[in-house]
């Protein structure tokens, strides 16, 4: 168990869920644009390395959740937060001697495969068109981002690999599925890629506590959805992630 954990983006949906899960067992602090009530918070812009560095001092582990999510944001916003900001988080963690960074990547890094069958049929809800035997997308298959946002997450994974190799900073990249406030899938696509709040915080906690021998790895994280196309065997084998929820239980 790690005692000193810094969470970037704690004021977000996943950040709040992580706080509720980890607060009983760890000393949490936040790196955030706004104050997080009840938690020691460094307020700074991720694009400013000097401003964020104090947040990392004395921290064992960093959970990097802060991001501009989705292509509704301008390229400048995606660049400053997801590209420059992720580099700065990794650099600050390295300089502070942190043990591990858990990086919130995204299933969008491979969502471009949804243009091809049978993945297209799965996300469109054409289940009768899905063959009996088909291959789920694995973590070690080629990335295929579906837009600028997804491309920034591919960049984050690549840079994380570099920091692990060059500087010995352990980084675990979690390719997170669709997490939402209502905590249930809302259409055929999200029925495929949905991730419950319970499942994502469980995966994050498992990544925080994963064996020291894991220098770098990538795990898909979503719920146990019948029509999911992302392979979950790797995180189960490596960190013991077994989703507790399924889209079929909550879809409606």
């Amino acid at each position: 168990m790690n005692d000193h954990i810094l969470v970037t983006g704690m004021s977000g949906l996943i950040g709040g869920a992580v706080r509720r899960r980890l607060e009983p067992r760890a000393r949490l602090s936040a790196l955030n644009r706004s104050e997080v009530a009840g938690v020691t918070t460094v307020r700074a812009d991720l694009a400013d390395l000097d401003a964020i560095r104090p947040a990392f001092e004395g921290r064992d582990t960093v959970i990097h959740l802060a991001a501009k999510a989705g292509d509704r944001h301008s390229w400048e916003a995606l660049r400053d937060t997801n590209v420059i900001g992720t580099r700065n988080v990794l650099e600050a963690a390295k300089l502070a001697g942190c043990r591990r960074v858990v990086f919130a990547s995204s299933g969008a890094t491979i969502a471009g495969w949804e243009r091809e069958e049978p993945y297209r049929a799965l996300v469109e809800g054409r289940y009768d068109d899905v063959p009996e035997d088909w291959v789920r997308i694995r973590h070690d298959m080629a990335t295929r981002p579906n837009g600028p946002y997804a491309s920034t997450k591919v960049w984050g994974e690549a840079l994380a690999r570099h920091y692990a190799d060059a500087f010995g900073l352990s980084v675990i990249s979690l390719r997170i599925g669709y997490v939402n406030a209502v905590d249930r899938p809302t259409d055929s696509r999200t029925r495929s890629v949905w991730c419950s709040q319970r499942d994502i915080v469980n995966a994050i906690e498992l990544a925080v506590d994963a064996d020291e021998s894991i220098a770098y790895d990538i795990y898909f994280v979503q719920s146990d959805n019948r029509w999911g196309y992302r392979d979950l065997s790797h995180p189960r084998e490596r960190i013991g992630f077994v989703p507790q929820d399924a889209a079929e239980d909550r879809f409606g």
Side-chain angles (χ1 to χ4, degrees), residues 203-225:
I204 289 171
E205 184 170 35
L206 289 168
V208 166
D209 294 332
D211 192 271
E212 299 288 341
S213 64
I214 300 178
Y216 180 78
D217 216 339
I218 297 172
Y219 306 125
F220 285 113
V221 178
Q222 65 177 46
S223 293
D224 187 23
N225 309 325

Side-chain angles (χ1 to χ4, degrees), residues 67-86 147-153 155:
K68 296 295 185 184
D71 291 328
R72 66 185 182 278
H73 298 287
S74 68
W75 164 245
E76 290 75 17
L78 291 170
R79 176 199 62 200
D80 291 351
T81 302
N82 298 6
V83 176
I84 297 172
T86 295
Y149 161 71
S151 299
T152 67
K153 291 299 187 177
W155 151 264

Side-chain angles (χ1 to χ4, degrees), residues 161-169:
R161 170 88 268 186
H162 165 64
Y163 269 78
D165 288 345
F167 307 113
L169 176 65

Side-chain angles (χ1 to χ4, degrees), residues 21 102 174 198-208 220-221 239 241:
R21 177 67 167 259
V102 178
L174 301 180
R198 174 167 64 167
D199 285 335
I200 183 53
V201 296
N202 182 41
I204 289 171
E205 184 170 35
L206 289 168
V208 166
F220 285 113
V221 178
I239 62 172
F241 171 65

Side-chain angles (χ1 to χ4, degrees), residues 71 110-124 126 137 144-147 189 229:
D71 291 328
I110 51 83
W113 288 106
E114 294 173 12
R115 298 173 180 269
E116 311 289 344
E117 299 292 356
Y119 315 112
R120 183 171 180 174
L122 287 164
V123 300
E124 291 179 354
R126 294 185 287 106
I137 301 294
R144 191 167 174 176
N146 65 350
R189 181 178 186 274
Y229 68 85

Side-chain angles (χ1 to χ4, degrees), residues 3-252:
D3 291 327
H4 295 79
I5 300 175
L6 172 66
V7 181
T8 75
M10 190 184 283
S11 61
L13 175 64
I14 298 177
V18 166
R19 177 183 180 180
R20 292 188 292 273
R21 177 67 167 259
L22 296 183
E23 206 162 34
R25 56 155 276 195
R27 284 172 280 182
L28 300 182
S29 59
L31 172 58
N32 224 63
R33 293 289 295 271
S34 57
E35 194 71 27
V36 179
V39 176
T40 300
T41 306
V42 172
R43 296 182 61 183
D45 190 324
L46 291 181
D48 187 337
L49 176 60
D50 290 337
I52 71 171
R53 283 189 62 182
F56 294 77
E57 295 302 323
R59 302 298 178 250
D60 300 314
T61 304
V62 179
I63 301 173
H64 179 37
L65 302 175
K68 296 295 185 184
D71 291 328
R72 66 185 182 278
H73 298 287
S74 68
W75 164 245
E76 290 75 17
L78 291 170
R79 176 199 62 200
D80 291 351
T81 302
N82 298 6
V83 176
I84 297 172
T86 295
R87 179 266 176 186
N88 286 348
V89 166
L90 293 167
E91 180 68 9
K94 179 199 77 173
L95 293 172
C98 297
R99 180 190 69 93
R100 170 168 290 154
V101 174
V102 178
F103 171 53
S105 185
S106 172
T109 55
I110 51 83
W113 288 106
E114 294 173 12
R115 298 173 180 269
E116 311 289 344
E117 299 292 356
Y119 315 112
R120 183 171 180 174
L122 287 164
V123 300
E124 291 179 354
R126 294 185 287 106
Y127 306 128
D128 289 341
D129 295 334
V130 179
E132 184 175 341
D133 294 318
W134 53 278
V135 178
R136 283 179 167 78
I137 301 294
R138 286 180 47 82
H139 71 287
D140 51 4
M141 292 173 66
T143 56
R144 191 167 174 176
N146 65 350
Y149 161 71
S151 299
T152 67
K153 291 299 187 177
V154 174
W155 151 264
E157 291 182 359
L159 195 66
R161 170 88 268 186
H162 165 64
Y163 269 78
D165 288 345
F167 307 113
L169 176 65
S170 173
V171 187
I172 293 178
S173 295
L174 301 180
R175 289 179 174 172
I176 301 171
Y178 178 70
V179 180
N180 61 356
V182 296
D183 209 19
R184 63 178 178 84
T186 55
D187 56 26
S188 61
R189 181 178 186 274
T190 57
R191 192 173 183 176
S192 176
V193 301
W194 177 68
C195 182
S196 72
Q197 294 176 33
R198 174 167 64 167
D199 285 335
I200 183 53
V201 296
N202 182 41
I204 289 171
E205 184 170 35
L206 289 168
V208 166
D209 294 332
D211 192 271
E212 299 288 341
S213 64
I214 300 178
Y216 180 78
D217 216 339
I218 297 172
Y219 306 125
F220 285 113
V221 178
Q222 65 177 46
S223 293
D224 187 23
N225 309 325
R226 178 182 179 186
W227 303 110
Y229 68 85
R230 301 166 185 174
D231 183 72
L232 300 179
S233 64
H234 185 59
R236 181 180 65 247
E237 293 163 1
R238 293 287 284 164
I239 62 172
F241 171 65
V242 178
Q244 300 300 300
D245 297 307
E248 290 66 39
D249 296 336
R250 302 196 191 182
F251 185 74

